[in-house]
């Protein structure tokens, strides 16, 4: 029999594992494609040839354990998927025979309002988490990402940030316990996994170390009324000058205030010509009456007025930032499909430690007028606040004090085929070459959750530490050394591997 048939038989034979047969999908199963496709978030990896030989959607931890044991026994790799948002599709695409463990059915959330904590299982989405918190309290929140369909499995293990980052840090900074299944099939918690593994999976990415089943998180307090605004300024409206000033204040403002900038091309309402618009998008943990005089004093160039501001609850601000602006019910947070549908997508990231001078910004704008940039964006997200007070080695995520903001560059397209893909990918690479002069150096840093295989990959899954260091130090700085030591202890034979997994020390070839 084929290795995958033996693998499936192994799952069925695994002790006390009877219910597993209903959640095992081989390629001949009529549900195989729908189970695989349901959480693919990037059309670049839709219908590719390198599909899993088997998909398992565990119902219980023993199904996860059986899959890990049987995959090793029968020479199959594992890719773990929670929300499927990996920018490079690493959770469901591989060049070698592999199994997808999709946690979509392990997604319970238990909120404990007495202790301001929650247990959230890995397959839950951020939207489900926010929704469940809001059902219990108007004044509790959680500092994680903006897009509600993102899965907590990948997101929290890679850091995870949103509009509460300046006040409360990353999602990973607010984890107090984890359940993870290791390469030996053991279910570990914070105590039994040891401090080093507990450290590694809060920013180092879960995929190198095991399969995360659930996180215990601390909920954070938010006021019952918050204020949001979205203020657009085009080049004709002095966007460059306003961004110049923003870079000098954004990371120093009151940490209850986050103003990020989304830049994209638009038709100028005055001239009808193409221009670049900088959208200043903000959450303030307080009332508009306090925010307006504060910004008039500290950032008058923005010209914020009362009419720009809307007061709402924190959960409504989640809907607002996710693009739901028509008074929808919070139930939309339970929807696992993206609001604007799917596109082909490529993104990259950077960190900025010194303000980009006007000449640097002015050299950026022409990129937006290229044909490929019709659906492109550049986003500046401010750091500072709590991020400055967490040391670089506290978690694997090293981008702390000294960073003013991070950049995300993204480009989407809808045209099928390699030619269109190559044109758009080349466009974003040219843009990235251009900005090199203005961003962090030695290494040029990047954010793990904005996965980018351009910055370096492992050799077909087998790799030396020195080869992995090319991308590893960009994501993790010197924390990469410790991540490799943890990997050496918990998965010395490098079973859990992918194009950007942490290698054990002493491996080569
Ligand atoms: P997915 O399931 O694809 O997993 C991502 C990686 O984690 C893979 O390597 C996978 O194997 C591994 N993994 C997943 N589950 C695991 C588990 N249970 N145990 C071990 N390893 C596991 N980020 C951010 O910080 N702030 C934001 O606002 C956003 N917004 C955003 C919007 C959109 C539309 C996209 C596509 C992405 C983002 N992101 C983001 C990036 C996001 O945080 C990142 O893609 C996460 O890794 C996604 O986690 P998922 O579980 O959804 O992905």
């Amino acid at each position: 029999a084929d290795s995958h048939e033996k693998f499936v038989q192994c799952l069925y034979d695994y002790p006390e594992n009877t219910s597993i047969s209903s959640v095992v999908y081989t390629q001949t199963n009529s549900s195989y494609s729908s189970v695989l496709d349901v959480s693919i978030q990037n059309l670049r990896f839709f219908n590719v040839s390198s599909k899993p030989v088997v998909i398992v959607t565990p119902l219980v931890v023993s199904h996860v354990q059986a899959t890990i044991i049987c995959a090793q026994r029968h020479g199959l790799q594992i890719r773990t998927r929670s929300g499927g948002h990996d920018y490079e599709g690493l959770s469901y695409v591989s060049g070698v025979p592999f199994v997808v463990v999709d946690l979509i059915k392990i997604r319970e959330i238990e909120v404990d309002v007495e202790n301001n904590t929650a247990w959230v299982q890995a397959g839950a989405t951020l939207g489900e988490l926010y929704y469940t918190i809001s059902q219990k309290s108007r004044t509790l929140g959680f500092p994680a990402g903006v897009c509600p369909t993102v899965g907590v499995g990948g997101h929290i293990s890679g850091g995870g940030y949103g509009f509460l980052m300046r006040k409360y840090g990353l999602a990973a900074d607010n984890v107090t316990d984890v359940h993870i299944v290791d390469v030996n099939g053991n279910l570990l918690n914070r105590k039994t996994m040891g401090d080093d593994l507990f450290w590694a999976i809060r920013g180092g990415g879960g995929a190198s170390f095991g399969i995360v089943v659930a996180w215990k998180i601390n909920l954070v307090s938010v006021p019952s009324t918050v204020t949001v605004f979205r203020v657009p300024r085009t080049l004709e409206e002095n966007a460059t000058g306003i961004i110049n000033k923003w870079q000098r204040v954004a990371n120093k403002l009151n940490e209850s205030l986050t103003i990020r900038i989304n830049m994209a091309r638009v038709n100028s309402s005055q001239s009808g010509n193409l221009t670049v618009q900088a959208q200043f998008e903000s959450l303030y943990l307080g009332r508009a009456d306090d925010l307006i005089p504060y910004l008039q004093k500290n950032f008058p160039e923005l010209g914020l007025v009362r009419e720009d501001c809307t007061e709402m609850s924190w959960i409504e601000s989640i809907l607002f930032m996710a693009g739901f602006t028509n008074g929808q019910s919070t139930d939309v947070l339970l929807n696992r499909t993206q609001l604007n549908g799917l596109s082909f997508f490529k993104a990259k990231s950077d960190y900025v430690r010194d303000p980009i001078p006007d000449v640097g910004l002015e050299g950026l704008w022409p990129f937006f007028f290229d044909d490929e940039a019709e659906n492109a964006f550049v986003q500046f997200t401010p750091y500072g606040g709590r991020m400055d007070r967490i040391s670089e080695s506290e978690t694997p995520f090293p981008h702390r004090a000294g960073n003013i903001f991070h950049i995300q560059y993204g480009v989407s397209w809808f045209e099928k085929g390699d030619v269109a893909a190559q044109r758009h990918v080349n466009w974003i690479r040219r843009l990235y070459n251009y900005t090199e002069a203005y961003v962090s150096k030695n290494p040029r840093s990047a954010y793990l959750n904005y996965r980018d295989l351009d910055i370096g990959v492992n050799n077909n899954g087998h790799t030396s530490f020195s080869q992995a260091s090319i991308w590893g130090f960009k994501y993790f700085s010197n924390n990469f050394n410790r991540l490799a030591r943890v990997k050496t202890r918990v998965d010395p034979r490098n079973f859990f591997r992918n194009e950007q997994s942490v290698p054990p020390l002493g491996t080569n070839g």
Side-chain angles (χ1 to χ4, degrees), residues 80 82-86 91 103 146-147 151 154-155 161 207 212 447 449 451:
T80 305
S82 290
H85 286 63
D86 194 286
S91 54
L103 294 161
V146 177
C147 171
H155 182 72
Y161 80 91
V212 173
Y447 174 36
N449 268 343
R451 172 109 46 211

